[in-house]
Amino acid sequence: MTAVRRWTWIAGIAACLLTAPALAQHAEAPESGRWQEMRYGFDEVSDTLELRYIEQVVALAAAGRLDTDRVLLRRVQAIGNGLVAAAAGLKPEVAHWQWEWHVAEAPGVEAHCEAGGKILVGGPFIRALRLDDGELAMLLAHEVAHVVAEHHRETLSEAMLMSKPAVPVEVALERLDSDVPLQVRLAGLSHTQEREADQLGMVIAHRAGWPARAMTAFYGKLTAQAASEGGAPLIATHPSYAARLSTARGLARLLEP
Ligand SMILES: [Zn+2]
């Protein structure tokens, strides 16, 4: 544990002693209507995760690996902003969130989002898959859907419920990053959220005007890439690519019969 992390942990425990258990607040995910139990507020989750996001972006910029492909960055921003406008039709407050789009020139970065609308995608990943605009829209729409459905806030809230007594959000985040048994216990929720992000993302992309064939093409490329790479993660946080492709095909038929 670094000095900063130890300080954060100690500060978190101190704050915990002063913090009364948070009252549950129920939310409903757009489209699926799934009920979520929220123990942390939107602002405290967004502010905490923004710090982690800024650290990551600053490190990439310092290494000369951020937004160097200006053409790709402009594509990501234009497509992303269109998706947010479409998502606002399902949840109006998202139009007022501080959305940001960046491209990391780092191998291993596929796509990543933080609560409140911070999206980072990998330039090498997008170029390797040769994503056209519709397929790129699907990649971004999945991340936008995670943000719109407030999955970070839900996961942190669930982590807090699993590790009573109540702790500040910084402590819950620390545990999520380092506590493997907790990660295993949350794998079921992660699967649910990934399925939801796929489906909500497709609905958002469709509302933004992207064709259904882009959905199946994008998940088809992911499936082919996974098959060529082989192997499986230690803790499976996502449904299999074959299952995601099957869902995309089914939803594409529903959206464009
Ligand atoms: Zn995801």
Side-chain angles (χ1 to χ4, degrees):
M1 189 184 288
T2 65
V4 171
R5 282 185 161 224
R6 189 180 304 115
W7 182 88
T8 306
W9 185 78
I10 293 168
I13 294 298
C16 166
L17 299 173
L18 302 170
T19 308
L23 293 174
Q25 185 187 340
H26 292 282
E28 191 177 1
E31 281 296 302
S32 72
R34 186 174 63 84
W35 283 100
Q36 301 162 294
E37 193 169 331
M38 304 299 199
R39 295 280 171 153
Y40 295 116
F42 172 85
D43 287 338
E44 64 182 323
V45 170
S46 302
D47 291 350
T48 302
L49 291 179
E50 190 174 1
L51 293 177
R52 184 168 74 171
Y53 171 79
I54 289 171
E55 264 180 34
Q56 189 179 14
V57 167
V58 166
L60 284 165
R65 290 174 174 267
L66 189 73
D67 298 337
T68 52
D69 184 339
R70 306 300 290 182
V71 174
L72 178 55
L73 177 64
R74 278 195 291 275
R75 280 178 71 204
V76 167
Q77 288 170 331
I79 294 169
N81 288 332
L83 293 168
V84 171
L90 298 169
K91 186 168 175 171
E93 61 262 44
V94 307
H96 306 293
W97 294 354
Q98 301 299 309
W99 293 84
E100 250 182 54
W101 314 89
H102 288 292
V103 177
E105 292 303 327
V109 175
E110 295 183 356
H112 179 75
C113 64
E114 292 289 10
K118 308 291 185 280
I119 314 271
L120 183 72
V121 291
F125 174 71
I126 292 168
R127 285 189 292 272
L129 286 179
R130 298 175 187 275
L131 300 184
D132 66 19
D133 284 353
E135 294 158 356
L136 179 56
M138 287 313 308
L139 172 71
L140 296 174
H142 175 94
E143 301 305 321
V144 168
H146 274 307
V147 175
V148 169
E150 299 191 57
H151 286 163
H152 296 87
R153 188 176 164 208
E154 181 184 25
T155 302
L156 285 163
S157 299
E158 198 66 26
M160 186 234 260
L161 287 169
M162 286 181 173
S163 52
K164 289 175 180 172
V167 293
V169 67
E170 296 85 354
V171 178
L173 183 61
E174 184 87 23
R175 287 182 184 165
L176 265 185
D177 285 345
S178 59
D179 187 336
V180 174
L182 180 63
Q183 292 167 5
V184 171
R185 291 173 71 192
L186 286 168
L189 175 63
S190 177
H191 271 256
T192 298
Q193 292 174 337
E194 292 303 332
R195 272 195 301 273
E196 191 168 77
D198 278 345
Q199 292 172 22
L200 178 57
M202 289 181 220
V203 170
I204 290 171
H206 181 68
R207 292 175 73 104
W210 296 104
R213 63 175 163 70
M215 302 171 191
T216 48
F218 171 66
Y219 287 100
K221 285 186 175 181
L222 286 184
T223 306
Q225 186 201 47
S228 70
E229 288 176 351
L234 194 61
I235 302 172
T237 55
H238 289 62
S240 71
Y241 285 116
R244 297 175 75 182
L245 176 58
S246 168
T247 301
R249 284 179 175 144
L251 196 53
R253 276 197 293 272
L254 277 178
L255 292 171
E256 288 180 18

